[in-house]
Amino acid sequence: MLQQRTRLFGSIAGLCTAGALLAGCGGGDSAEHAQHQPAPQAPAQGQSAAGKQTSGTFENFSPAAKAITYKPDQVPVGGQINVSSSNADGKSKVTVEVKGLQPNRAYGAHVHVKPCGPTGEDAGSHYQEKADPVKPSVDPAFANPQNEVWLDFHTDAQGNGTAAAEGSWALATRDDAQSVVIHETHTHSEPGKAGSAGSRLACIAADF
């Protein structure tokens, strides 16, 4: 009988050594147990800790295209764009990063109210926090970088560039901020031309 009890005790001890997490083996709150806790999960794709982001590679228009070039000689097919946004404490921040565009040149860029389409005009007008009753909006009282989201940038020798804008925009709670359009020049600010930046070269659908 003593030998049977000894063998039984030895079997239980072996189970505890092989699986310290088994109930009743003691040390359930030990460091070894803590090391086996599940690791924190990463943010879901498309959602970063800072907000939202959308990436795309420019291609000619197709219904499935996320990033579209209308002027491949100025925004080449294969160029890349990333749009990220965050919203906190009543402020919104939007950042645009591009790669593989024309080197050493200025581009304009703005948030627009509609999705991209077969032509640059399909994206509609600029997002405005307070809408100008007159369209097209070229009044500096409405077409300005505080009321609109201006993201002008200048590329380097490799065709890469970045721009960021921050303001009191309700991008996350409205449904009229749906794309970013790249234009051929930096944005004008003078009366009669305010907000204009030449032809619409490319567009990416974006989630703010």
Side-chain angles (χ1 to χ4, degrees):
M1 179 66 71
L2 180 59
Q3 291 178 344
Q4 290 177 345
R5 289 180 179 177
T6 302
R7 285 197 296 270
L8 177 61
F9 179 78
S11 299
I12 293 174
L15 287 172
C16 290
T17 302
L21 297 183
L22 288 174
C25 289
D29 295 325
S30 66
E32 182 179 357
H33 176 72
Q35 291 173 359
H36 287 80
Q37 294 301 311
Q41 293 187 352
Q45 186 174 4
Q47 181 77 32
S48 68
K52 300 178 180 179
Q53 65 176 0
T54 306
S55 299
T57 299
F58 289 112
E59 55 185 296
N60 294 316
F61 174 78
S62 74
K66 180 181 292 184
I68 302 164
T69 177
Y70 305 111
K71 301 279 187 178
D73 59 325
Q74 298 185 63
V75 175
V77 170
Q80 298 177 332
I81 183 170
N82 181 78
V83 178
S84 60
S85 65
S86 60
N87 303 276
D89 300 325
K91 295 283 188 178
S92 296
K93 183 177 181 179
V94 181
T95 303
V96 168
E97 299 172 277
V98 298
K99 294 182 179 181
L101 274 59
Q102 281 191 334
N104 301 315
R105 66 158 287 178
Y107 290 92
H110 317 103
V111 174
H112 281 245
V113 298
K114 295 181 180 180
C116 309
T119 73
E121 299 305 315
D122 292 321
S125 58
H126 295 177
Y127 171 91
Q128 292 185 326
E129 187 67 19
K130 182 179 180 181
D132 187 345
V134 178
K135 296 291 187 288
S137 179
V138 290
D139 182 351
F142 294 92
N144 62 66
Q146 289 75 46
N147 195 45
E148 300 182 349
V149 186
W150 293 9
L151 295 158
D152 295 2
F153 58 89
H154 196 286
T155 56
D156 62 17
Q158 286 73 46
N160 304 333
T162 186
E166 186 171 356
S168 300
W169 308 303
L171 298 172
T173 58
R174 287 172 45 171
D175 60 1
D176 58 345
Q178 299 193 44
S179 60
V180 170
V181 173
I182 296 178
H183 295 256
E184 67 176 340
T185 70
H186 276 180
T187 308
H188 293 280
S189 57
E190 64 269 27
K193 290 186 176 181
S196 62
S199 299
R200 301 182 182 197
L201 306 180
C203 181
I204 181 170
D207 183 9
F208 300 98

